[in-house]
Structures are given as C-alpha cells and as structure tokens.
Amino acid sequence: VELARRYADRWKRFCKNRKSSVSTETGQRSSSWLKELLFSRCSQAVRTQAAVLVDQMSQSASPTRLFGYVDLLTGLLPDVSNSGENSAQFFDVYKKLVGVEDVKLYLTAKGFLRKLCGLVGGEIQTIKQHERARFSTDISQGYVLKSLLSLLSSFLDVPQIRAKFKRERLLEQLFDGFLALRDLLLARTKLTDESSQLLLDLLNSLHSESDEDNKMFIWVCINALEKLDNRVHMSDEEEDDVRTPIYILEQLCSIICPTKTEPVFQLILTKAATQEEFIRGNMNRNPYSTSCIGSLMRDVKNKICRDLDLRGLLEDDNGMELLVHNKIIKLDLSIKQVYEQVWKQGLATDNSMSDLDNGSTP
C-alpha cells in the first residue's frame, strides 16, 4: 500500500508538471504566430487583419478571457522597438483594448507602469545610439517612442494610477529621457520633437500639482545634476554640453524662486480742460489695457502721441506731462509703481479725509 501511494504521488506530480509545460509551450506558440502577423514587414493588410481579428475576439470575450488578451498583447510590447511604423496596427488595437479604466488598473497592479517607463527609456537609448553612430536616415524614427508616451499619458489620466506613478518615483526616468531627447542633433526628426514636447507636457503636469510634487521634482533635478557630474569625471573625452545643466538649473530656479507675473492694469486716459487748444482729439477707447500699451509711463505717453497724431513728441520726454492724482509723473517709472505709490495711496488718503469730514473715526 505504501509503495502504491508513493508511485501515485509521483504520477500526479509528473502529470501536473507536464500540463504546466504544455500550457506554457502553447502560450508561447500562440503569441509567436500572433507576433508574426501583427508586426509583419511584408504586408500592411496582414497587420490590419490580425488587429481586426484580435479586436473582434476581445469584444465578445468574457472578462477573464479579456484580461488574457490584455496579457498576451502586453507581452508583445517589447517587440515594437524593432518594428517602427509597422507597429501602428498593434498600437491601435492595444490602446482600444486598454481604454477601459478597469483594464488600466489591472495592468498597473501588475507593475505595468515601471515596464512602460523602461520601454520608453530603452527607445530613447536606441535613438541616442543612432546619434552616436552618426547615421540616421529614417524619418519615421521616433514613432514608437511617441506611441509609448501617448499610451503612458492615457494611463496617467486615471487619478489612482497617477498617484501610484508618483509613489513609485518614476518621474526620474522620464526626466532623464527628456534630457537625452533635448541633446539630439543628427537623429532629430519631427516625431522625436513631438515626443519631446509630449514628454515635457507630462513632466509639467506631474510636478505642478502640489508642494510634495515640487519637492520630488527638485530631488529629480539634483540627481540629474549629480549624474552629469559623474559622467564628466568618468569620461575620457571633454564634456562640452553646457545646455543640459543650465536647463536643469533653470527648472530648479522656476520652482524655488518663481518669477512673478506682471499684473495688468486698466488705464483711463483723459485730456485736461486747459489743453483743448493745444492737443486736438481725445482718447475715446477707455479703458486701455497695459498689456497693449507697455509697462512704463513713457509707453503711455507714446500711446497718446500715436493715437492723437502727435508724432513729433514721441522722442521728446518734455513735450507732454502725465498727471496721476494731480501729481506729475516721471516717464521712467513703471505703471505698477505709479499705481501702488501714487494712485492707491492717493485714494486711501482721500477716503481717510472723507471719513474725517463725515465725523467718523478712521
């Protein structure tokens, strides 16, 4: 009895292992023929029909089988790098397949984000290798990269996936890739430029939502500077790339010390009654926006001279005086200074005097 039980257990293990190996082999064979059809270099019609076949089967599939199709096509993603524009049909059917939010969450739970960022980085390195080899005659170079970035962007539109992307600190890979794309010269094409812009938009959207995002981006920039410094010390050749560190420092400055946007003021320009005989016409399009005039009071004077056909006074700073709150204003002052130090303070003084005249305490 003991001997029979021992051989029975051995037979069960043998059957189980054989079933597993057959299943794996069958899965490999199925993905192999599908890969040959979806990435066929011989015929666009073959690629299109293969994509249509996968699309129709996935539409009528149960949820379990649908995820099986998703896993099958996800396993083919590394092959797009060697296919170029021949992968267009694959990307079309794959984006349609993962367009459902539940499918995106399913792939994200299986570590898809890190895999996708790795594919983006690998594609950028391939383009850089063509740059170093000094040959690049393929105007379609960058198609796969743009498609991968478009796919990543669609995933990051889901808030849960976006939060997971930040937690896993994958921003650094995208930033390093963007810096590499900025340095392209010989391998630069319209598609690589579009990919670079798409990558820049992703980076801007990922680090501008909160203070924590800004801190993360500062850390990424500092790491990028350290990598550049290590590359200079380890390289035997002289490093003449000054554009990259300057760009990184500009990004740091924009976060640590952001430039303040100049406010826009609305000006009401009127002519003094005593000047009716000397200045013809009126400024009838009040109010005038400083965005159309300029930032200095001299710009205001020149605007008046042009509109009233007083071009002889354009170069003469003494031919016309500007009054704000009954004070003659120097033309070198900015409109913002005049607003804050003359107009605003004058209104505050007038309001205080009005309160005193009415018997109220300021």
Side-chain angles (χ1 to χ4, degrees), residues 14-33 65 68 72:
F14 172 76
C15 292
K16 183 178 180 181
N17 294 335
R18 185 170 181 271
K19 182 178 179 181
S20 176
S21 62
V22 170
S23 175
T24 303
E25 190 176 329
T26 303
Q28 291 175 347
R29 284 201 302 266
S30 63
S31 63
S32 177
W33 70 263
R65 187 171 291 273
L72 180 63

Side-chain angles (χ1 to χ4, degrees), residues 128-136 186:
K128 289 290 290 182
Q129 288 175 4
H130 290 168
E131 173 93 0
R132 297 189 192 99
R134 298 184 182 277
F135 69 91
S136 178
L186 298 177

Side-chain angles (χ1 to χ4, degrees), residues 252-261:
L252 285 171
C253 291
S254 67
I255 296 176
I256 298 173
C257 185
T259 56
K260 295 182 179 179
T261 56

Side-chain angles (χ1 to χ4, degrees), residues 155-192:
F155 271 74
L156 295 181
D157 287 337
V158 182
Q160 300 95 313
I161 299 177
R162 196 180 189 87
K164 184 175 178 60
F165 184 90
K166 294 176 181 179
R167 287 197 304 271
E168 294 185 357
R169 298 193 170 190
L170 297 175
L171 185 66
E172 184 177 6
Q173 294 186 35
L174 296 186
F175 189 67
D176 291 344
F178 174 72
L179 295 178
L181 284 179
R182 288 185 77 252
D183 291 339
L184 291 180
L185 291 175
L186 298 177
R188 188 172 180 178
T189 64
K190 182 176 182 290
L191 288 170
T192 58

Side-chain angles (χ1 to χ4, degrees), residues 43-79:
S43 172
Q44 180 180 353
V46 171
R47 299 193 300 269
T48 302
Q49 289 302 317
V52 170
L53 177 63
V54 174
D55 182 36
Q56 290 179 349
M57 289 191 300
S58 62
Q59 287 182 4
S60 59
S62 62
T64 304
R65 187 171 291 273
L66 175 63
F67 289 133
Y69 287 131
V70 171
D71 290 335
L72 180 63
L73 293 188
T74 302
L76 298 179
L77 268 177
D79 296 296

Side-chain angles (χ1 to χ4, degrees), residues 33-277:
W33 70 263
L34 185 60
K35 180 175 70 174
E36 291 180 5
L37 294 178
L38 283 173
F39 302 124
S40 174
R41 296 179 180 273
C42 303
S43 172
Q44 180 180 353
V46 171
R47 299 193 300 269
T48 302
Q49 289 302 317
V52 170
L53 177 63
V54 174
D55 182 36
Q56 290 179 349
M57 289 191 300
S58 62
Q59 287 182 4
S60 59
S62 62
T64 304
R65 187 171 291 273
L66 175 63
F67 289 133
Y69 287 131
V70 171
D71 290 335
L72 180 63
L73 293 188
T74 302
L76 298 179
L77 268 177
D79 296 296
V80 299
S81 180
N82 300 322
S83 302
E85 286 189 322
N86 291 333
S87 60
Q89 291 76 17
F90 168 82
F91 276 115
D92 289 341
V93 69
Y94 188 72
K95 289 177 181 178
K96 189 174 182 180
L97 202 59
V98 301
V100 184
E101 185 172 319
D102 290 342
V103 176
K104 292 179 179 178
L105 293 173
Y106 165 76
L107 287 174
T108 302
K110 298 184 67 174
F112 180 73
L113 290 179
R114 190 171 296 276
K115 177 180 180 179
L116 186 55
C117 289
L119 292 174
V120 170
E123 190 63 24
I124 293 175
Q125 289 305 313
T126 300
I127 297 175
K128 289 290 290 182
Q129 288 175 4
H130 290 168
E131 173 93 0
R132 297 189 192 99
R134 298 184 182 277
F135 69 91
S136 178
T137 58
D138 186 7
I139 62 173
S140 67
Q141 185 167 258
Y143 176 83
V144 173
L145 176 60
K146 183 181 177 182
S147 300
L148 290 173
L149 289 173
S150 176
L151 183 63
L152 176 61
S153 178
S154 68
F155 271 74
L156 295 181
D157 287 337
V158 182
Q160 300 95 313
I161 299 177
R162 196 180 189 87
K164 184 175 178 60
F165 184 90
K166 294 176 181 179
R167 287 197 304 271
E168 294 185 357
R169 298 193 170 190
L170 297 175
L171 185 66
E172 184 177 6
Q173 294 186 35
L174 296 186
F175 189 67
D176 291 344
F178 174 72
L179 295 178
L181 284 179
R182 288 185 77 252
D183 291 339
L184 291 180
L185 291 175
L186 298 177
R188 188 172 180 178
T189 64
K190 182 176 182 290
L191 288 170
T192 58
D193 287 345
E194 292 175 353
S195 299
S196 179
Q197 184 59 48
L198 185 56
L199 198 49
L200 179 61
D201 294 340
L202 278 176
L203 290 170
N204 290 335
S205 66
L206 287 168
H207 77 77
S208 59
E209 295 179 346
S210 65
D211 291 338
E212 289 298 323
D213 294 341
N214 285 332
K215 291 178 183 178
M216 175 60 65
F217 189 65
I218 291 173
W219 174 79
V220 168
C221 289
I222 293 174
N223 278 358
L225 286 174
E226 291 178 351
K227 292 175 185 176
L228 285 174
D229 186 54
N230 294 335
R231 195 182 309 162
V232 171
H233 290 302
M234 293 176 63
S235 177
D236 295 332
E237 302 177 358
E238 290 189 10
E239 187 70 33
D240 57 355
D241 179 22
V242 296
R243 295 170 57 247
T244 299
I246 289 176
Y247 175 79
I248 297 174
L249 291 173
E250 287 175 349
Q251 296 304 304
L252 285 171
C253 291
S254 67
I255 296 176
I256 298 173
C257 185
T259 56
K260 295 182 179 179
T261 56
E262 198 70 23
V264 177
F265 300 98
Q266 302 295 326
L267 306 181
I268 298 178
L269 305 178
T270 57
K271 181 175 57 177
T274 57
Q275 302 299 312
E276 288 291 344
E277 296 182 4

